[in-house]
Amino acid sequence: MDGNHAAAYVAYALSETSFIYPISPASSMGDHMDNWAATGKKNILNQIVDVNMMQSEGGAAGALHGAVAAGSLTSTFTASQGLLLMIPNMYLLAGELMPTVLHVSARTVSKHALSIFNDHSDVMATRQTGFAMMCSSNVQEVMDQGLVAHIASLKTRLPFVHFFDGGRTSAEMSKIRPITYESMKEIFPMDALKSHIRDFALNPTNPMIRGTGQRPDIFFQSTVAAHKYYEAAPRLVEETMEEVAAITGRPLKLFNYHGSPSAERVAVIMGSASKTMEEAVDYLNTQGENVGVVAVQLYRPWSSKHFLAALPASVQKVAVLDRTREDGASGMPLFLDVNVTLSDEGSQKLITGAQYGLASKEFTPAMCKAVFDNLSAENPRKKYVIGINDDVTGTSLPYGAPINTVPPGTKQCAFWGLGSDGTVGASKTAIKTIGLNTDMFAQGHFVYDSHKEDGVTVSHVRFGPSEIKAEYCIASDADFISCAHPSYVHKYDMLSTLKKGGTFVLNSPWNTLADMDRKLPATLKRQIAEREAEFYNIDAIALARDIGLGKRINMPMQACFYDLSGVLPVEEALKLLKTAIVDQYAHKGPEVVKKNQEAVDRAVGSLKKIEYPREEWLSVQTGGQKKKRSEMEGSSKFVMDIMGPVLALEGDKLPVSAFEPGGYMPVGTTRFEKRAIAPEIPVWVPDKCTQCNYCAIVCPHAVVRPFLLDKGEMKAAPSGFQTRKAKGGAESAGMNYTIQISSYDCTGCAVCVQSCPDDALYMAPFEKVAEDNAPHWDYAYALPEKEIGEKYTVKGSQFQKPLLEFSGACAGCGETPYMKLATQLFGSRMVVANASGCSSVWGGTATTNPYTVTKDGSGPAWGRSLFEDNAEYGFGMALGTKQRRYRLEDCVQNALATTSGGHELREALTKWLKVKDDPDPCDAISHKIIELLSSQRELTGLDVNFETIYQQKDMLRTQSHWIVGGDGWAYDIGFGGLDHVLSRGENVNVLVLDTEMYSNTGGQVSKATQLATVTKFAAKGKRQNKKDLGQAAMLYENVYVASVALGANMNQCVQAFRDAESYDGTSLVIAYAPCIDWGIEMKFMMDEMRKAVDSGYWTLYRYDPRRTEAKQNPFQLDSRKLKSDLKEFLVGQNRFERLVRLNKDTASSLHTDLSNVSHHRHEKFRKLAMDEYEMLEYLKTKLGEEVSTEKSIVLYGSETGNAEALAGVFSNELKRRGVRPQCMALDDFDFDTLQNFKNVYCIIATCGQGELPGNCKEFWKLMNDANLDNDFLANVNYTVFGLGDSGYVFYNEAATLFDKKFEELGGKRIMPLALGDDKDDEK
């Protein structure tokens, strides 16, 4: 198991209640607790633990405080900022002497940048709270000392923080010996439970008061009164350690010494690095050294007595290593504790202080050796950092090349994987299989880059007959290395760690020696030959695709590992692997299990050994070179010197001088990455394309784009560059249209192919088309930007350059299309405050920054604060900008009043005052002002007043402030701040990317999670309805609110964004964003949105306060009719199907409840959207009263929004003339009531090759029902107006069909069929 599993295992045994909240890398502890409670697991008191998901870490700490106050055994789990949010309650818990345990996967606290990796900065920030603090160094210790922490907390009356290294110990898979619950119960102090918790519980049968307010006269004394408990704690912890050791046979100490009993040089350290130090100490002592290490287990209360007892009397020199950094301090925390202890003892020992391992920076045996070598130096460094090259302030200690210190017989394996291919999961399965079925020790550590799904992963796995203490990545002597993606052969130095005679397995389509000669780079061939590697290849991607596993190649690759490694007999290993598949994938359904087992059966036979010419490869210098287009030629110094090494996983080699203090990074760097990770990419078929641009608007990574070329650009295009004559009005006359795909940036999600209404795209193997298509993309990408047509339409928006491109989001991500669209509409003036979460990972990963700029260098300015305070962060930026613009306005007015200046400049400044809040005219006049000021400044200099304006020129343009985040932020932890911002009425725009779960931390339940969903922290299915954030915001009545789903109604989404941004006040856009964690195939992402809306699961609407001023209903329901059954929608998603597999009766009940809730919500929204007359008719119908027969309705069929917009204009014109029509999409209309309308006005567009718009197809099907009489519409007057383009073969086909059908059903024409032509100058 891993460290988090071990901690949760103990916490569950010794808790009655537990309060959880997700934060990496601690989230899985809460997940284990919830799963065990859901399956009815009992603690040692024979109870099922009451596990509760809270809205924040602060909420978890508050609930924890309350539960202990009520006399309950309780626990929680957290890390980093989450722990810091608990600090106020930690003071209370310690001050009130309340036993409890916080298990902490220690993680870096965000400073200049966020990091989810390990150091001790979070736990060190809690030293002053009064909590006792225990540190565990490996997975076994997490279990053993976790038990110590729980029991010692009861004995001492002190709350405990039990911490271990996040990402390293927390996620490290290791073979351990669990402590049974029966054994725990044997040593559990029931007397302490009664005397130290139950007897102090707040209970009306024995009332007391706690938490009073105290004056200065008694507060100090009351604080010191508790000191006796801290004095007694080390002895009681030691006693508890002895009790635990008695049932486990594993000794535990407050300070654990390892090494020579007569050591003269000793290191003092905490956490996982202590095990690395132990391994290094053993190695160094065999080399004639005389060294040792003290691992600190109980950090608070600090026991000088026990520390000195652990230190050999022979010690003369001590190196203290801290995994934290307190800037400006005289020394780090552990260093100061050791210094004070030895000083109080009167010792003259040399003490050095080192900082190491921040944010999981590797700490290796070579560094351990350097620490001891420094102690032996004639003039040792007293304070230093190790593991980096500080070439700025010179504080770093150099260290040597890697040394192999692992015990003999240890097998070391490195599995290079792609984030979504299952390699990490397969490695974990191998560790469990081998660990549980052999006598070998097993350990696994997993390294990830910062891409969401398709990033590189490296699984470092060790097996051996001896205990494995190597808490660092494999740096040399690897026995087995596999590579799961062929592009890696060009990107990474994978084989530098392979030992001579080791095995290398490559997954690629190159099955012959000739293929390898042609494709492999010379450096890799030389490495294979130099190491005399056993080289194998398997086309696992083809195998997985053939079976139906997509790109999940973990099982074929794991089968190859068992076949070649010899760790277990092959037949036995494969049998165990198949059993593991059932355990691992049963929750995903039997079909998934069957496919994975088939992959195992077929893999070994597909494995081919490559008999390479060793002598030839030893000296090869050319061949298989990475294509020039994939290099970073012509890029910036940042890209070449920083981004390049980071992408190659060589960032550890960069010196301090390479970085800008403060964490600032340039934008627009993802275009140089060229990951080439897609097994298949889309190919455009021009003759089928109707130029709707749907493929572009849905593309999550902005790799599919339309371009318009003039004649000159056409002539200069590279060979094979395909275009077709651009369709549309006069603005596109003389232009040619093309769709181009960025092959090397595509993730292969196929959303574009699935969303194309014309079958004008298909997926083709990457190897066959990527290189040929690359020059076409490069040429199109470099073309001048053309802003043609109305940008606030589906089609027109996609001719705007996306200022979010090639992000590290998952393939098929449901979030990025919304943010990409926002940048196309407003990106040149956007300021983005981004909550921590998925959108901050794909939007703000260091070095690969997807937000980019326009031709004039403007683009989104992006910043991230914390998870919980994003609304306030964005609000503050907006107010700061507002105040600065007020000052600029004052300066302009003052300059105009007191300074003559040139006439043209004065005229421009005067105009600016009038349009400063109107984006487009303000942009135009701002550019002119800057040109005039710059010109005059260069020629004659500027008057002081104009110089003041010039210095503030960055404030001339309007800014569009966006507050962006996921539902975990908006519905839960940040809701208080968001609600406050919504109430203030400032001109800020809020975009909530609603995945209905905490996607970034693995898919935990949030208040946005819908009823009946099975997800992490809701293993039995969520039992509460989804919170309605939109309705809560509408209660303020002055907030613009929209609920959108791009795949259901693209035009409604575009209009909602336009309306939200143009509203002079606060706006909230809630965007339905499908996620891979839903258990859906992401290429169907847009279809899932449509199904969600059609079934009533998700509702489309817009609430615009401006309509109230125009005496219109501010609420517009854009999904007026339910078109499908909700239960059928639920069946298609694993997050709902899982409940059926768990408990059919519960699932049936909850799904019915959800269906009822959805119908009730839809009916409520339908009534909310009615005006007074519609409501009157609705009520009359309900009461059975007669309604007016002079009813009129405007119906539209619209694909891109033009017909919808025209229908709205026409409807308003009718109202102006005294007619009160309804207006809606044809498919939103109840066809059975059509006969009740006197006048029907149809406005219908034609799309594609004579296709009907998507929102009128159901209506058309009903009109063609053979059972309808010929006089069905005999009492209906109708007229049809068509929107088309005479450049298309099927000009106005849809309108013509509808007009004819109305006539066939007996309708009476009000006027003849009218056909609008987009090519007409007057439209």
Side-chain angles (χ1 to χ4, degrees):
M1 64 177 67
D2 62 25
N4 279 353
H5 189 165
Y9 175 85
V10 172
Y12 194 92
L14 299 172
S15 298
E16 295 169 305
T17 57
S18 186
F19 302 94
I20 59 178
Y21 187 79
I23 184 171
S24 299
S27 300
S28 65
M29 288 187 278
D31 192 32
H32 286 303
M33 297 290 284
D34 181 61
N35 284 330
W36 290 328
T39 56
K41 183 173 181 170
K42 302 287 185 69
N43 62 13
I44 65 168
L45 301 179
N46 201 36
Q47 285 183 301
I48 298 172
V49 179
D50 187 3
V51 181
N52 293 273
M53 161 82 170
M54 300 303 292
Q55 88 286 4
S56 69
E57 292 91 352
L64 181 95
H65 185 199
V68 184
S72 175
L73 288 169
T74 190
S75 58
T76 191
F77 317 89
T78 192
S80 192
Q81 263 78 19
L83 181 61
L84 270 57
L85 287 174
M86 294 181 174
I87 284 178
N89 271 292
M90 292 177 70
Y91 273 101
L92 294 172
L93 287 158
E96 295 175 4
L97 297 173
M98 289 184 160
T100 189
V101 179
L102 278 62
H103 294 276
V104 178
S105 293
R107 170 188 143 185
T108 306
V109 175
S110 297
K111 297 175 65 177
H112 61 282
L114 174 144
S115 174
I116 63 169
F117 300 101
N118 163 245
D119 60 38
H120 299 159
S121 56
D122 53 356
V123 291
M124 289 303 164
T126 67
R127 302 193 314 278
Q128 73 279 20
T129 62
F131 262 61
M133 302 174 73
M134 289 195 69
C135 180
S136 292
S137 306
N138 61 20
V139 179
Q140 185 68 68
E141 281 186 10
V142 170
M143 180 166 288
D144 296 351
Q145 296 192 160
L147 177 58
V148 171
H150 276 272
I151 293 176
S153 181
L154 283 172
K155 290 182 176 181
T156 62
R157 285 191 68 190
L158 300 179
F160 271 61
V161 164
H162 171 225
F163 69 96
F164 42 91
D165 289 350
R168 167 55 71 177
T169 308
S170 71
E172 177 183 297
M173 292 293 295
S174 186
K175 182 177 181 177
I176 70 167
R177 295 180 177 85
I179 306 171
T180 66
Y181 280 16
E182 291 77 11
S183 297
M184 294 182 191
K185 191 172 182 178
E186 289 176 12
I187 61 172
F188 183 75
M190 294 298 296
D191 55 340
L193 171 62
K194 180 181 185 303
S195 60
H196 289 168
I197 290 190
R198 307 291 204 224
D199 289 351
F200 286 95
L202 292 177
N203 191 313
T205 61
N206 185 25
M208 68 176 73
I209 294 175
R210 65 185 356 154
T212 61
Q214 293 185 352
R215 290 166 45 81
D217 54 346
I218 62 172
F219 185 90
F220 197 165
Q221 300 95 302
S222 296
T223 299
V224 176
H227 184 60
K228 62 182 180 181
Y229 294 98
Y230 292 90
E231 287 187 323
R235 175 183 55 81
L236 293 171
V237 173
E238 186 176 42
E239 173 189 291
T240 305
M241 284 181 162
E242 291 169 353
E243 292 172 351
V244 172
I247 63 172
T248 65
R250 295 182 290 272
L252 296 170
K253 296 181 180 180
L254 304 190
F255 296 88
N256 187 53
Y257 178 75
H258 182 91
S260 167
S262 59
E264 296 181 349
R265 291 169 290 148
V266 165
V268 180
I269 198 167
M270 282 193 293
S272 61
S274 66
K275 296 303 178 184
T276 299
M277 187 67 82
E278 286 182 13
E279 185 183 83
V281 162
D282 290 341
Y283 170 82
L284 292 172
N285 285 340
T286 64
Q287 304 297 308
E289 304 277 5
N290 191 23
V291 295
V293 56
V294 175
V296 179
Q297 312 292 91
L298 179 69
Y299 179 56
R300 288 288 184 271
W302 178 267
S303 173
S304 296
K305 171 186 172 183
H306 288 87
F307 174 76
L308 292 169
L311 205 64
S314 55
V315 172
Q316 299 298 314
K317 300 174 181 179
V318 179
V320 184
L321 292 89
D322 278 272
R323 200 162 199 161
T324 189
R325 182 176 179 87
E326 185 180 337
D327 290 308
S330 62
M332 298 303 108
L334 183 58
F335 172 78
L336 294 177
D337 289 325
V338 172
N339 260 286
V340 171
T341 296
L342 294 177
S343 175
D344 288 349
E345 187 69 10
S347 171
Q348 300 300 310
K349 294 178 176 61
L350 169 70
I351 307 172
T352 65
Q355 298 158 47
Y356 75 99
L358 296 191
S360 291
K361 179 68 75 177
E362 281 285 271
F363 184 69
T364 66
M367 297 174 196
C368 298
K369 182 178 185 302
V371 168
F372 287 117
D373 288 346
N374 180 62
L375 290 177
S376 298
E378 187 174 345
N379 295 301
R381 300 283 296 271
K382 296 291 184 66
K383 296 177 185 177
Y384 56 89
V385 299
I386 190 163
I388 63 172
N389 175 15
D390 178 9
D391 58 344
V392 176
T393 57
T395 62
S396 55
L397 185 70
Y399 56 94
I403 54 177
N404 184 14
T405 59
V406 296
T410 302
K411 295 280 187 182
Q412 302 191 101
C413 311
F415 303 91
W416 290 71
L418 188 70
S420 57
D421 67 3
T423 297
V424 171
S427 301
K428 291 180 178 180
T429 301
I431 292 165
K432 290 179 182 178
T433 301
I434 294 171
L436 294 175
N437 293 280
T438 73
D439 293 331
M440 286 190 285
F441 289 86
Q443 176 211 60
H445 175 62
F446 312 98
V447 176
Y448 310 82
D449 75 1
S450 295
H451 296 93
K452 281 302 301 176
E453 182 190 51
D454 291 314
V456 62
T457 66
V458 188
S459 301
H460 296 266
V461 178
R462 295 180 174 99
F463 307 103
S466 306
E467 181 184 358
I468 299 169
K469 297 182 178 182
E471 300 292 337
Y472 51 89
C473 296
I474 296 169
S476 65
D477 297 278
D479 297 271
F480 182 96
I481 293 177
S482 70
C483 169
H485 201 277
S487 69
Y488 290 1
V489 301
H490 296 291
K491 298 177 183 178
Y492 309 115
D493 180 10
M494 294 181 291
L495 296 194
S496 61
T497 61
L498 186 68
K499 75 176 187 181
K500 195 168 186 177
T503 300
F504 175 48
V505 177
L506 174 64
N507 165 44
S508 81
W510 315 320
N511 286 312
T512 67
L513 179 60
D515 289 337
M516 293 297 175
D517 254 330
R518 188 171 63 257
K519 295 290 187 178
L520 296 187
T523 52
L524 183 62
K525 291 184 208 173
R526 289 198 302 273
Q527 285 181 318
I528 291 171
E530 288 164 359
R531 287 160 176 76
E532 299 179 13
E534 297 287 317
F535 180 25
Y536 294 84
N537 186 74
I538 179 173
D539 192 348
I541 292 176
L543 176 61
R545 189 188 301 129
D546 184 53
I547 293 172
L549 290 173
K551 57 185 178 181
R552 293 190 66 82
I553 60 168
N554 50 332
M555 288 307 158
M557 295 301 286
Q558 192 171 356
C560 294
F561 165 70
Y562 282 125
D563 184 55
L564 299 173
S565 66
V567 177
L568 288 172
V570 176
E571 287 188 10
E572 179 187 351
L574 297 183
K575 182 178 179 182
L576 290 169
L577 179 55
K578 287 185 177 182
T579 301
I581 286 171
V582 176
D583 296 336
Q584 190 172 352
Y585 293 115
H587 69 283
K588 293 189 176 183
E591 190 63 26
V592 175
V593 171
K594 180 182 176 182
K595 288 178 180 178
N596 277 278
Q597 290 183 336
E598 182 183 349
V600 172
D601 290 334
R602 292 174 56 181
V604 174
S606 302
L607 187 65
K608 296 184 179 180
K609 186 171 186 179
I610 306 298
E611 301 288 355
Y612 57 91
R614 182 170 179 269
E615 294 302 320
E616 180 183 326
W617 280 20
L618 276 171
S619 57
V620 68
Q621 297 297 321
T622 59
Q625 295 300 311
K626 192 176 182 183
K627 298 297 181 182
K628 195 172 185 181
R629 61 154 287 96
S630 299
E631 297 173 0
M632 299 177 177
E633 73 277 1
S635 58
S636 66
K637 181 175 173 59
F638 173 86
V639 171
M640 295 297 294
D641 295 349
I642 297 179
M643 178 178 163
V646 168
L647 291 180
L649 302 186
E650 295 180 351
D652 284 323
K653 299 175 182 178
L654 293 173
V656 171
S657 61
F659 297 94
E660 179 74 21
Y664 303 101
M665 297 270 171
V667 298
T669 57
T670 48
R671 65 191 176 98
F672 299 107
E673 191 173 8
K674 306 302 176 194
R675 292 197 284 161
I677 58 171
E680 294 181 318
I681 58 175
V683 176
W684 182 50
V685 184
D687 290 334
K688 290 185 176 182
C689 180
T690 57
Q691 304 181 12
C692 63
N693 286 353
Y694 288 4
C695 56
I697 199 170
V698 303
C699 178
H701 291 81
V703 302
V704 181
R705 298 190 199 178
F707 295 94
L708 292 171
L709 293 79
D710 60 29
K711 292 181 180 178
E713 292 163 343
M714 280 296 302
K715 288 181 181 179
S719 175
F721 191 91
Q722 295 196 76
T723 67
R724 291 296 181 268
K725 183 179 179 182
K727 299 181 183 296
E731 69 273 3
S732 58
M735 294 283 187
N736 270 41
Y737 176 95
T738 185
I739 288 287
Q740 293 298 327
I741 292 98
S742 181
S743 306
Y744 289 85
D745 297 301
C746 181
T747 62
C749 67
V751 172
C752 58
V753 173
Q754 189 64 29
S755 301
C756 177
D758 306 310
D759 294 327
L761 290 164
Y762 68 92
M763 299 299 288
F766 179 89
E767 287 287 321
K768 292 184 178 180
V769 296
E771 203 57 46
D772 291 339
N773 288 349
H776 303 158
W777 168 266
D778 290 342
Y779 178 73
Y781 187 81
L783 290 172
E785 296 170 24
K786 299 180 182 71
E787 297 182 0
I788 293 176
E790 171 55 51
K791 76 174 180 179
Y792 294 113
T793 63
V794 175
K795 183 173 181 177
S797 66
Q798 295 314 295
F799 289 123
Q800 309 293 313
K801 179 181 178 180
L803 302 185
L804 173 70
E805 59 181 11
F806 320 137
S807 74
C810 299
C813 175
E815 294 186 340
T816 49
Y818 294 108
M819 200 61 197
K820 182 191 68 170
L821 176 63
T823 69
Q824 289 173 296
L825 300 178
F826 328 110
S828 64
R829 50 193 174 83
M830 286 180 80
V831 179
V832 180
N834 212 128
S836 293
C838 278
S839 56
S840 73
V841 175
W842 54 250
T845 293
T847 74
T848 49
N849 302 312
Y851 288 99
T852 189
V853 296
T854 63
K855 58 188 175 186
D856 64 1
S858 60
W862 185 94
R864 180 198 57 81
S865 180
L866 300 172
F867 193 17
E868 63 271 14
D869 72 345
N870 186 55
E872 299 93 321
Y873 177 57
F875 183 70
M877 285 200 287
L879 289 187
T881 299
K882 181 179 177 181
Q883 194 67 8
R884 290 183 64 195
R885 292 198 89 213
Y886 279 155
R887 180 172 183 272
L888 176 59
E889 183 180 0
D890 289 343
C891 291
V892 170
Q893 290 173 339
N894 182 57
L896 291 173
T898 61
T899 308
S900 57
H903 172 73
E904 192 176 8
L905 178 57
R906 290 179 62 82
E907 190 177 69
L909 289 171
T910 301
K911 183 175 181 181
W912 180 84
L913 288 172
K914 295 178 181 178
V915 300
K916 61 182 176 61
D917 296 321
D918 192 354
D920 291 336
C922 181
D923 274 7
I925 199 65
S926 295
H927 286 303
K928 184 174 182 180
I929 290 170
I930 293 171
E931 288 176 8
L932 292 170
L933 287 171
S934 300
S935 177
Q936 187 171 326
R937 192 170 187 260
E938 188 175 334
L939 290 173
T940 62
L942 291 173
D943 171 271
V944 63
N945 290 322
F946 288 128
E947 179 64 29
T948 302
I949 295 171
Y950 180 81
Q951 294 300 329
Q952 301 175 75
K953 62 182 182 294
D954 61 331
M955 287 288 107
L956 284 166
R957 299 174 64 228
T958 58
Q959 294 184 9
S960 183
H961 284 266
W962 287 79
I963 299 170
V964 179
D967 51 274
W969 157 69
Y971 288 73
D972 285 3
I973 193 170
F975 176 71
L978 175 58
D979 180 60
H980 183 75
V981 171
L982 293 175
S983 75
R984 292 298 302 274
E986 289 292 338
N987 192 3
V988 295
N989 309 287
V990 181
L991 174 60
V992 178
L993 302 166
D994 192 348
T995 63
E996 301 193 319
M997 60 176 58
Y998 284 77
S999 297
N1000 194 48
T1001 51
Q1004 291 80 14
V1005 67
S1006 78
K1007 290 190 186 70
T1009 305
Q1010 190 53 273
L1011 176 72
T1013 305
V1014 175
T1015 186
K1016 292 179 179 178
F1017 293 12
K1020 293 189 294 185
K1022 188 173 181 239
R1023 304 305 171 95
Q1024 301 82 33
N1025 293 333
K1026 178 187 176 83
K1027 178 178 179 177
D1028 197 325
L1029 183 63
Q1031 285 204 81
M1034 284 187 278
L1035 290 174
Y1036 285 114
E1037 297 189 348
N1038 67 340
V1039 178
Y1040 178 93
V1041 184
S1043 174
V1044 302
L1046 184 64
N1049 191 329
M1050 296 178 186
N1051 180 60
Q1052 186 259 2
C1053 183
V1054 173
Q1055 301 313 311
F1057 272 80
R1058 178 199 63 187
D1059 295 346
E1061 204 274 341
S1062 66
Y1063 179 60
D1064 187 14
T1066 308
S1067 71
L1068 170 66
V1069 178
I1070 307 169
Y1072 187 62
C1075 176
I1076 188 68
D1077 284 335
W1078 290 4
I1080 61 174
E1081 194 172 351
M1082 292 309 294
K1083 71 178 180 180
F1084 299 117
M1085 168 181 67
M1086 294 293 158
D1087 292 332
E1088 289 296 324
M1089 294 192 201
R1090 178 185 54 77
K1091 291 176 183 176
V1093 171
D1094 286 351
S1095 66
Y1097 181 87
W1098 186 269
T1099 307
L1100 304 181
Y1101 63 79
R1102 286 170 285 172
Y1103 178 90
D1104 192 342
R1106 289 170 293 197
R1107 290 173 58 88
T1108 304
E1109 300 168 9
K1111 301 191 183 307
Q1112 296 175 314
N1113 187 342
F1115 184 81
Q1116 298 169 270
L1117 181 60
D1118 295 313
S1119 54
R1120 298 173 67 100
K1121 182 181 177 183
L1122 302 185
K1123 304 171 186 176
S1124 61
D1125 183 63
L1126 178 70
K1127 291 183 180 179
E1128 291 180 8
F1129 166 73
L1130 300 180
V1131 169
Q1133 298 191 12
N1134 192 53
R1135 56 177 175 155
F1136 295 110
E1137 283 188 305
R1138 284 181 65 186
L1139 190 59
V1140 177
R1141 294 194 293 271
L1142 289 170
N1143 189 317
K1144 287 186 178 180
D1145 292 339
T1146 300
S1148 177
S1149 175
L1150 289 180
H1151 289 178
T1152 299
D1153 289 346
L1154 177 55
S1155 182
N1156 293 336
V1157 167
S1158 298
H1159 281 84
H1160 173 73
R1161 182 179 66 245
H1162 185 267
E1163 185 66 10
K1164 179 172 62 177
F1165 281 142
R1166 199 165 72 86
K1167 288 187 282 188
L1168 187 61
M1170 295 176 182
D1171 61 21
E1172 291 87 345
Y1173 289 93
E1174 290 171 321
M1175 180 58 73
L1176 180 60
E1177 286 200 359
Y1178 171 82
L1179 292 173
K1180 282 183 175 181
T1181 302
K1182 279 282 187 182
L1183 296 171
E1185 297 182 9
E1186 186 177 342
V1187 297
S1188 170
T1189 57
E1190 292 292 323
K1191 295 167 65 176
S1192 298
I1193 188 162
V1194 180
L1195 298 172
Y1196 59 84
S1198 181
E1199 191 73 22
T1200 61
N1202 291 329
E1204 180 182 355
L1206 183 58
V1209 171
F1210 181 69
S1211 179
N1212 288 332
E1213 179 61 22
L1214 288 176
K1215 289 178 182 177
R1216 192 179 69 81
R1217 299 185 182 204
V1219 179
R1220 301 194 61 84
Q1222 296 181 44
C1223 181
M1224 66 185 71
L1226 283 152
D1227 279 356
D1228 285 338
F1229 178 70
D1230 184 355
F1231 182 81
D1232 292 336
T1233 67
L1234 186 60
Q1235 294 171 304
N1236 299 334
F1237 285 82
K1238 182 71 174 177
N1239 300 305
V1240 177
Y1241 307 93
C1242 285
I1243 300 176
I1244 304 174
T1246 298
C1247 58
Q1249 301 294 342
E1251 291 290 324
L1252 300 181
N1255 59 2
C1256 69
K1257 291 181 178 180
E1258 186 63 30
F1259 188 97
W1260 177 248
K1261 187 186 299 182
L1262 293 170
M1263 286 190 84
N1264 284 276
D1265 186 344
N1267 294 317
L1268 292 179
D1269 295 330
N1270 291 338
D1271 61 350
F1272 177 70
L1273 299 179
N1275 296 319
V1276 175
N1277 302 317
Y1278 79 94
T1279 188
V1280 177
F1281 181 81
L1283 278 72
D1285 184 329
S1286 58
Y1288 285 82
V1289 174
F1290 297 96
Y1291 171 59
N1292 269 311
E1293 178 76 4
T1296 303
L1297 290 172
F1298 269 85
D1299 180 74
K1300 184 178 179 182
K1301 183 54 67 173
F1302 268 102
E1303 181 183 34
E1304 290 174 357
L1305 292 176
K1308 299 180 179 63
R1309 279 194 181 88
I1310 299 172
M1311 58 177 284
L1313 171 66
L1315 303 178
D1317 186 359
D1318 196 42
K1319 285 214 176 320
D1320 191 282
D1321 289 341
E1322 296 182 3
K1323 301 293 184 187

